[in-house]
């Protein structure tokens, strides 16, 4: 038998062996409310000998159903992989912790030794983390290798609870002679911010075995980034580091560059949309010249990097034999700078490694350096606010739990509600929610609707934190949008046509004579616009114009194709009705 045939047969047998130990209900869309609804599933679990992996993702499971499934799991000591993402769709948030508690208790009782725990896309918030806290501290997780909690809305409080639980898990497993060897940690889109990230960084530093860390879109700026950088130095096997869409600024980028000097196994770095800026990019380039010998991918896109620093980055990857992709799109090179970058890559025989530069922002304005320094000063001010904006402790938490959380927290200070200007300067879902029940009124009072550009800016800032899967954030955003736009459009002197023109420019749908830079369009911008056009305050005469622009092909909207299609469909219906 040919060697290729032998290899194919071996792969097929290996795949069959994995499948034979897995029971999957993935993506069946089952609505499991009570014991009766899971009778068949429970029977199959009970009769499955040697069950190692259970897939429940893509269904919706209520408390009673979860408790019944848990009973069946109490004797499944071989279970290693729990693929339980997206299994609470449509459930009240209060239902999720008791459901998770039941399932976790069953795994502990069974004596399971987990390798993979995936609870992504469940949007359970800090309370959901409490639902898995006992499990994470238990012997069932002493063997955990992959923890996936993407898009769970943990917030700062949830991040601290998670960090404390992982710390206990590591300490107790170490005491038994087999320290926790967590390899993969995924927690994107969780609103961890600086304090949550810093707490987790301390846990990562202790664990020391991480190979992949994915924490994109968490509202982390340079203090949190610096804490993570320090932690990464203590994880020598790190291969993948993804912090996309957080805010490094040059200080965070320089701290990360210093940390990378201590690592040799990194293959993928994703610092895209992280505002690393030119000085930060230069620091990273300096590290790359001598270190990271097996790097394959580097993403520094949308970072306000200028030509000179970009050329340094390009030259720094020259001798990386395994290098595959350099992404510098969306920076500030200008046409000539883009050509120089392509030339440099061509001369190094690496032209095919350079990604698209189609979204280049053009050469920076003369005063950009001043603005950059000002922005860094603003970051300091914002950091001071972030330290003070601690989440309020929920009533009824025990003293023991508080003592665990406090080892990761900043020195006690009186919680302070962020003001509207802080939210509009550095918007985040948490800041919006903490403005309280009067947030829409406060924002309406803050925004000067006599200034069209400020009104457009406010709309974009508010809508960028929109979350379709978080009812509280969604409601807060739409209420605030309605408050600002209704005040604007119902003010007789408001220049509605100028507003529409400015909005189209900022969305990249219309060229500006003033060379205004469009924002990076996110789905929330279009989803909130779809909401606004259906309201009575929105001028009917502008819907046809907006529909015409949305119908045109435009690269700025490509990442938001689903939201664009929904908006376009709504506009077409409204056009026909009018």
């Amino acid at each position: 038998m040919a060697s290729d045939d032998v290899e194919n047969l071996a792969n097929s047998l290996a795949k069959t062996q994995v499948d034979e130990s897995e029971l999957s209900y993935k993506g069946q869309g089952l609505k499991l409310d009570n014991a009766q609804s899971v009778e068949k599933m429970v029977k199959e679990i009970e009769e499955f000998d040697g069950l190692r992996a259970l897939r429940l993702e893509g269904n919706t499971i209520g408390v009673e159903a979860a408790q019944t499934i848990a009973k069946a799991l109490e004797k499944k000591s071989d279970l290693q992989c729990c693929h339980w993402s997206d299994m609470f769709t449509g459930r009240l948030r209060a239902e999720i912790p008791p459901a998770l508690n039941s399932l976790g208790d069953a795994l502990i009782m069974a004596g399971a030794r987990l390798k993979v725990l995936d609870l992504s896309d469940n949007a359970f918030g800090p309370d959901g983390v409490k639902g898995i806290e006992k499990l994470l501290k238990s012997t069932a997780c002493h063997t955990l290798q992959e923890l996936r909690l993407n898009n769970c809305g943990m917030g700062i409080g949830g991040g601290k609870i998670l960090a404390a639980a992982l710390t206990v898990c590591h300490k107790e497993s170490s005491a038994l002679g087999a320290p926790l060897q967590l390899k993969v940690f995924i927690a994107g889109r969780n609103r961890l911010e600086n304090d949550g990230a810093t707490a987790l960084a301390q846990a990562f530093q202790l664990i020391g075995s991480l190979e992949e860390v994915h924490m994109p879109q968490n509202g982390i700026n340079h203090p949190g980034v610096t804490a993570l950088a320090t932690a990464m130095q203590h994880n020598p096997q790190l291969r993948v580091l993804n912090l996309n869409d957080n805010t490094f600024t040059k200080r965070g980028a320089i701290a990360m560059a210093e940390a990378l000097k201590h690592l040799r196994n990194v293959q993928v770095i994703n610092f895209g949309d992280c505002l690393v800026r030119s000085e930060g990019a230069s620091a990273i380039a300096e590290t790359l010249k001598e270190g990271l010998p097996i790097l394959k991918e580097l993403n520094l896109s949308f970072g306000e990097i200028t030509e000179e620093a970009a050329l340094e980055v390009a030259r720094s990857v020259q001798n990386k034999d395994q290098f595959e992709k350099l992404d510098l799109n969306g920076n500030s090179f200008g046409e000539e700078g883009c050509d120089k970058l392509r030339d440099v890559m061509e001369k190094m025989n690496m032209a095919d490694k350079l990604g698209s530069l189609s979204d280049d922002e053009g050469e920076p304005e003369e005063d950009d350096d001043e603005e950059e320094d000002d922005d860094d000063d603003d970051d300091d001010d914002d950091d001071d606010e972030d330290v003070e904006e601690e989440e309020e402790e929920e009533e009824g938490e025990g003293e023991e739990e508080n003592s665990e959380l406090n080892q990761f927290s900043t020195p006690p200070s009186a919680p302070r509600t962020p003001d509207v200007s802080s939210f509009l300067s550095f918007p985040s879902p948490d800041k919006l929610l903490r403005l309280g029940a009067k947030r829409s009124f406060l924002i309406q009072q803050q925004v000067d609707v006599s200034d069209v550009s400020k009104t457009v800016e406010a709309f974009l800032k508010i809508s960028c934190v929109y979350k379709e899967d978080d009812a509280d954030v969604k409601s807060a955003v739409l209420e605030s949008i309605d408050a600002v736009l209704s005040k604007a459009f119902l003010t007789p002197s408001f220049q509605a046509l100028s507003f529409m023109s400015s909005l189209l420019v900022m969305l990249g749908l219309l060229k500006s004579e003033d060379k205004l830079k469009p924002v990076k369009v996110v789905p929330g911008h279009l989803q909130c616009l779809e909401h606004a056009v259906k309201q009575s305050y929105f001028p009917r005469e502008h819907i046809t114009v907006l529909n015409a622009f949305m119908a045109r092909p435009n690269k700025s909207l490509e990442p938001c194709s689903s939201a664009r299609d929904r908006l376009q469909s709504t506009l077409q219906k409204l056009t026909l009705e009018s």
Side-chain angles (χ1 to χ4, degrees):
M1 184 180 287
S3 60
D4 286 348
D5 294 334
V6 173
E7 185 177 352
N8 290 336
L9 178 60
N11 289 336
S12 297
L13 289 172
K15 185 176 187 300
T16 302
Q17 188 176 10
V18 171
D19 289 344
E20 285 179 353
S21 66
E22 176 182 283
L23 183 57
S24 177
Y25 300 92
K26 180 179 179 180
Q28 294 185 16
L30 303 174
K31 191 172 188 297
L32 308 172
D33 296 322
N34 48 40
Q36 185 178 357
S37 66
V38 294
E39 281 182 356
K40 182 182 176 183
M41 181 185 292
V42 165
K43 184 179 180 184
E44 289 173 346
I45 292 173
E46 289 174 340
E47 295 176 352
F48 199 118
D49 292 329
L51 179 65
R52 292 180 182 273
L54 179 61
R55 290 189 171 275
L56 297 176
E57 65 261 57
N59 300 289
T60 176
I61 301 174
V63 176
E64 185 181 333
Q67 291 169 341
T68 309
I69 294 170
K71 281 288 183 185
L73 292 176
E74 288 178 357
K75 296 180 181 179
K76 297 299 170 182
S77 60
D78 293 328
L79 190 61
Q80 296 178 349
C81 303
C82 298
H83 300 283
W84 295 350
S85 64
D86 189 24
M87 66 175 193
F88 295 114
T89 301
R91 299 290 170 185
L92 296 173
R93 186 169 288 186
E95 294 181 80
I96 301 176
L100 290 173
N101 269 317
S102 298
L103 294 167
D105 287 346
L107 296 175
I108 296 169
M109 184 176 294
R113 293 292 182 268
L114 295 185
K115 290 184 177 179
V116 178
L117 178 59
D118 185 355
L119 289 165
S120 298
D121 300 315
N122 280 312
F124 47 50
D127 288 342
V129 185
K130 292 177 185 176
I132 59 171
E133 183 180 11
K134 181 180 176 182
L135 173 63
L136 289 172
K137 292 178 179 179
S138 74
T139 55
C141 285
H142 285 187
T143 51
L144 194 63
Q145 295 180 9
E146 298 185 18
L147 180 58
R148 301 171 180 266
L149 296 169
N150 200 56
N151 191 31
C152 288
M154 290 190 287
I156 296 171
K160 289 183 177 182
I161 296 169
L162 177 60
L166 290 174
T167 299
V168 170
C169 183
H170 183 270
K171 287 181 177 178
E172 293 189 356
S173 60
S174 297
L176 295 174
L180 171 67
Q181 294 288 301
L182 187 66
K183 295 180 180 179
V184 177
F185 180 83
I186 300 176
R189 297 186 64 193
N190 270 293
R191 308 201 307 270
L192 295 170
E193 300 189 20
N194 285 335
D195 288 343
T198 299
L200 285 166
Q202 293 181 11
F204 296 162
Q205 185 168 331
L206 186 67
I207 292 168
S209 57
L210 289 166
E211 296 179 11
E212 293 187 28
V213 174
H214 301 262
M215 297 174 66
Q217 290 184 301
N218 270 298
I220 307 168
N221 52 34
H222 76 82
V225 172
T226 300
L228 289 170
T230 301
M232 294 307 106
Q233 295 181 41
H234 296 268
N235 288 266
Q237 300 306 312
L238 187 70
R239 294 183 297 105
V240 179
L241 182 57
N242 175 9
L243 295 176
N244 186 281
D245 202 5
N246 290 291
T247 307
F248 284 33
T249 64
K250 66 183 181 185
R251 281 166 290 181
I254 290 171
M256 194 59 73
E258 286 298 312
L260 291 172
K261 290 179 180 179
H262 299 268
L263 302 170
R264 302 286 295 173
N265 294 302
V266 176
Q267 298 177 12
V268 178
I269 295 174
N270 186 345
F271 296 161
D273 208 11
C274 283
L275 208 65
V276 298
R277 298 202 167 117
S278 298
E279 193 170 341
S282 295
I284 292 170
E286 188 64 31
T287 295
L288 293 180
K289 286 178 185 177
E290 304 297 331
L292 306 183
I294 59 173
L295 186 68
K296 292 182 178 180
E297 296 182 18
L298 174 63
N299 184 347
L300 296 178
S301 59
F302 298 94
E304 291 192 1
I305 302 168
T306 53
E307 175 192 321
E308 185 177 348
L311 295 176
E312 290 178 40
V313 171
R315 294 185 182 107
S316 71
V317 302
Q318 181 173 8
N319 298 316
K320 311 266 182 240
D321 295 337
Q322 299 182 37
F323 197 76
E324 297 174 0
K325 184 178 180 182
L326 175 62
D327 190 347
L328 289 169
N329 199 17
N331 285 296
S332 304
F333 309 149
E335 187 174 342
E336 186 177 338
C338 288
D339 289 340
K340 286 183 181 178
L341 183 58
R342 293 188 187 99
D343 288 344
V344 167
M345 295 297 286
E346 180 74 39
K347 288 175 182 177
M348 298 189 302
N349 294 319
M350 299 179 75
D352 59 327
K353 314 297 185 189
L354 181 63
S356 169
L357 299 174
S358 60
D359 292 322
D360 184 72
E361 296 285 350
E363 292 184 57
E365 301 292 335
E366 290 181 5
D367 60 347
D368 272 5
D369 289 339
E370 267 183 45
E371 288 179 3
E372 184 171 313
D373 292 337
D374 290 344
D375 287 345
D376 283 336
D377 291 339
D378 290 343
D379 288 338
D380 279 336
D381 295 340
D382 194 50
D383 296 338
D384 292 340
E385 287 181 2
D386 286 341
V387 170
E388 293 174 353
E389 288 165 16
E390 296 291 336
E391 290 194 345
E392 294 181 9
E393 298 287 345
E394 293 194 17
E395 292 180 11
E397 289 183 337
E399 290 181 5
E400 181 178 345
E401 179 180 70
N402 284 336
S403 67
E404 282 183 358
L405 295 186
N406 286 340
Q407 65 176 306
F408 295 104
S409 61
T410 52
S413 60
R416 191 179 80 180
T417 303
D419 59 23
V420 175
S421 60
S422 171
F423 165 71
L424 292 175
S425 297
F426 299 93
S428 75
D430 267 357
K431 284 184 180 179
L432 180 62
L433 293 178
R434 287 194 214 161
L435 288 173
K438 294 183 179 180
R439 66 180 70 86
S440 59
F441 172 77
L442 295 172
I443 292 174
Q444 184 189 63
Q445 295 301 306
Q446 177 78 16
V447 178
D448 180 8
V449 297
S450 66
D451 188 323
V452 167
S453 62
K454 288 182 180 178
T455 308
V456 171
E457 183 182 3
F459 171 80
L460 295 172
K461 288 288 183 71
I462 299 166
S463 59
C464 77
V465 303
Y466 179 89
K467 293 172 71 71
E468 182 69 35
D469 56 0
D470 189 321
D472 292 340
V473 174
K474 178 179 178 180
S475 176
V477 168
L478 295 182
E479 286 175 5
S480 302
I481 290 293
D482 286 341
V484 171
L485 294 189
S486 62
K487 179 183 177 182
F489 286 123
L490 296 176
T491 299
S493 59
F494 184 68
Q495 299 175 349
L497 185 58
S498 294
F499 172 86
M500 290 304 302
S501 298
S502 181
L503 180 62
L504 291 170
V505 166
M506 297 309 293
L507 292 175
L509 302 176
L510 184 65
K511 288 187 177 181
S512 167
E513 295 179 0
D514 299 325
K515 295 184 179 181
L516 292 175
K517 292 182 180 179
V519 298
K520 181 182 179 183
V521 182
V522 297
H525 292 142
L526 305 184
Q527 289 164 325
C528 289
L529 189 54
E530 182 195 4
H531 166 82
V533 298
K534 293 187 288 188
Q535 307 309 308
S536 59
Y537 59 70
F538 197 91
R540 302 293 96 181
E541 62 268 24
H542 295 318
I543 288 176
T544 304
V545 176
L546 187 55
N547 185 34
F549 276 96
M550 293 304 303
R552 297 177 181 177
N554 194 290
K555 289 183 180 180
S556 68
L557 302 184
E558 286 178 0
C560 313
S561 57
S562 178
R564 179 198 61 195
D565 292 345
R566 283 177 50 189
L567 172 57
Q568 195 172 348
S569 175
T570 297
L571 290 169
Q572 288 171 352
K573 289 178 183 177
L574 292 172
T575 300
L576 292 174
E577 289 174 6
S578 59

